[in-house]
Amino acid sequence: MKQLLTAILVLLLSASVTLAQTPAHTKAKSKTEKAATGTSGSGPVKKDGTPDKRFKANKTAATQGPKKKDGTPDMRYKANKGTAKKKS
């Protein structure tokens, strides 16, 4: 009887060890994946993936004026008034 209880105990302990959860490992991004996801346009980018504003190719998006929360141009600023369509 003692051997039977010992065998059951060993079986239960081994089952609990094999069914224990393993920690989740997150996959770290490699340098090539970071570079591929960081490029947002045709111009050069900085090490962190943001566009480098020193180059002309990246300055074109900055010529537009400020926008409102909904994404439309804010007409209180001079930069946006010149690009607005005039009604006839």
Side-chain angles (χ1 to χ4, degrees):
M1 186 71 176
K2 198 174 192 179
Q3 290 176 346
L4 182 62
L5 291 175
T6 306
I8 292 173
L9 181 65
V10 168
L11 181 65
L12 290 175
L13 286 174
S14 64
S16 67
V17 169
T18 58
L19 296 176
Q21 293 182 354
T22 58
H25 297 288
T26 58
K27 182 180 173 186
K29 289 186 177 179
S30 64
K31 289 183 179 180
T32 56
E33 290 177 5
K34 285 183 181 179
T37 58
T39 57
S40 62
S42 61
V45 293
K46 294 185 231 176
K47 287 182 180 179
D48 62 352
T50 58
D52 196 345
K53 295 295 184 178
R54 295 178 293 172
F55 296 95
K56 188 174 184 178
N58 293 330
K59 287 184 180 181
T60 57
T63 58
Q64 298 174 352
K67 298 184 182 227
K68 294 188 269 185
K69 289 182 182 179
D70 62 353
T72 58
D74 194 345
M75 299 310 289
R76 296 178 292 173
Y77 295 95
K78 185 177 182 180
N80 291 331
K81 287 183 182 179
T83 59
K85 296 179 182 178
K86 295 183 180 181
K87 296 181 181 179
S88 52

